[in-house]
Amino acid sequence: MFAKSAILFLYMACVVVLGAAFTCCMLVGSRNKSEQNKAMLVFIIGLFVICFYDMGIYYCNYVIGIFSSMEVMRIGNCLIALTIYAWIVVQEKVMKKDSLKLLGRMVKNYILFYAGLWLILTIATSVEYFYTMKWLLLLTDIVLIVGALAVSIAYIIYAAVDNQKHSLCFMTITTALLLWNYISYFWGETSVYWGNSDFIREPLDLTIVFWLAIAVTTLLYAYHTGFKPTFHEKTSVAEELVLASGKLEDRIGKVCEEFGLTRRECELLELIYQGKSNKDIAERLFLSESTVKTHIYNIFRKMNVKSRVEAICVVNGEKIDDGENADNQ
């Protein structure tokens, strides 16, 4: 009885931590709207749904003894798959790497196909017929795990190369724990295939430990990368001007739309605004310096400016000083 009470306590603790993370992101969003913060909110909502779903299953099965049907249990696979989808979106917004867009899109489309397939089969077929396709279902699980792992490892490598310590830690821990939870459900399904339901009991009981760890990791990341810089750290005069005139990302987006800049050119314009040199930009984007110069030339031509300073003035909505000397690309 003590073990059951402890597990239920962990579920409630997970809800509290997720509530704190959600509040943190909402407060940041009130000051600084960004795609990354929106993606984090969706991911946290997914974690909320999973936590309440797991808690309901555990309470019904092991506390009051009302065992859930297999149809209800299989919905867990769909929910975790959709949470992994939200997690991939978070990684995309954190790292902003165009080179992984195609892979991420393929994996996300597959996850939607997977969740839809499992949901349709769960609703439209009997348990007996459902498990006659066990090898096909097993294959769909394996493809999802491999795809999600491939995308996440690629983003983790980028975070390590860019020396983004908070992002690296956040993505590594969350990816490992998310996949463990998915594999535990996967393990549970395969145990049912061979009539060994007791084999999965302990790993499933422990899933709340990993959901709680994900919740804590998410809260810490949201605090250190969003809440703390927004509400606690002192900003310089330049940063205050940026905040006063709107978020840099939004302003650059408007400039890119106005002058017809490509996605890559928008990325370069943001780095130019940050004061990065051609060499820094080349290393950051894995390009040659000559390619960077070509992109900058095209940016200046489209924006009708002659220097980095003038380009920054356009982003800030400031008047360009005609007497100012143009700097080199």
Side-chain angles (χ1 to χ4, degrees), residues 11-27:
Y11 276 114
M12 296 307 299
C14 187
V15 170
V16 171
V17 174
L18 288 174
F22 185 83
T23 303
C24 186
C25 288
M26 287 294 291
L27 291 172

Side-chain angles (χ1 to χ4, degrees), residues 220-259:
L220 292 175
Y221 183 78
Y223 174 78
H224 282 292
T225 62
F227 188 86
K228 186 177 179 181
T230 302
F231 292 97
H232 290 302
E233 293 181 352
K234 293 182 179 179
T235 58
S236 64
V237 174
E239 289 172 332
E240 289 174 357
L241 290 174
V242 168
L243 292 174
S245 58
K247 190 165 186 333
L248 174 61
E249 182 180 333
D250 295 334
R251 297 205 314 280
I252 287 181
K254 291 179 181 178
V255 170
C256 292
E257 183 178 355
E258 179 182 353
F259 294 100

Side-chain angles (χ1 to χ4, degrees), residues 143-186:
V143 173
L144 189 148
I145 293 170
V146 172
L149 193 59
V151 173
S152 296
I153 288 177
Y155 279 119
I156 288 169
I157 291 173
Y158 272 122
V161 171
D162 293 346
N163 196 30
Q164 298 186 28
K165 295 180 180 179
H166 287 302
S167 297
L168 176 62
C169 182
F170 175 52
M171 291 192 295
T172 301
I173 294 174
T174 304
T175 295
L177 297 179
L178 268 179
L179 289 177
W180 166 260
N181 276 280
Y182 185 84
I183 290 170
S184 71
Y185 275 84
F186 168 78

Side-chain angles (χ1 to χ4, degrees), residues 98-265:
D98 289 339
S99 57
L100 293 177
K101 290 283 186 179
L102 179 59
L103 177 60
R105 189 180 303 114
M106 291 172 59
V107 175
K108 287 188 294 184
N109 288 339
Y110 176 79
I111 291 173
L112 293 178
F113 164 77
Y114 170 93
L117 175 66
W118 271 71
L119 189 59
I120 291 171
L121 291 176
T122 297
I123 296 173
T125 63
S126 64
V127 174
E128 293 76 12
Y129 181 77
F130 188 88
Y131 285 110
T132 60
M133 300 178 289
K134 61 184 180 183
W135 295 111
L136 175 61
L137 299 174
L138 189 66
L139 179 62
T140 61
D141 282 318
I142 292 173
V143 173
L144 189 148
I145 293 170
V146 172
L149 193 59
V151 173
S152 296
I153 288 177
Y155 279 119
I156 288 169
I157 291 173
Y158 272 122
V161 171
D162 293 346
N163 196 30
Q164 298 186 28
K165 295 180 180 179
H166 287 302
S167 297
L168 176 62
C169 182
F170 175 52
M171 291 192 295
T172 301
I173 294 174
T174 304
T175 295
L177 297 179
L178 268 179
L179 289 177
W180 166 260
N181 276 280
Y182 185 84
I183 290 170
S184 71
Y185 275 84
F186 168 78
W187 186 0
E189 288 294 331
T190 56
S191 69
V192 172
Y193 296 158
W194 286 276
N196 188 19
S197 57
D198 291 338
F199 186 62
I200 189 58
R201 171 69 183 273
E202 288 186 8
L204 283 178
D205 286 354
L206 293 176
T207 55
I208 180 53
V209 176
F210 298 102
W211 287 125
L212 179 58
I214 293 173
V216 171
T217 304
T218 302
L219 173 60
L220 292 175
Y221 183 78
Y223 174 78
H224 282 292
T225 62
F227 188 86
K228 186 177 179 181
T230 302
F231 292 97
H232 290 302
E233 293 181 352
K234 293 182 179 179
T235 58
S236 64
V237 174
E239 289 172 332
E240 289 174 357
L241 290 174
V242 168
L243 292 174
S245 58
K247 190 165 186 333
L248 174 61
E249 182 180 333
D250 295 334
R251 297 205 314 280
I252 287 181
K254 291 179 181 178
V255 170
C256 292
E257 183 178 355
E258 179 182 353
F259 294 100
L261 302 185
T262 65
R263 184 186 297 271
R264 176 63 83 182
E265 289 167 351

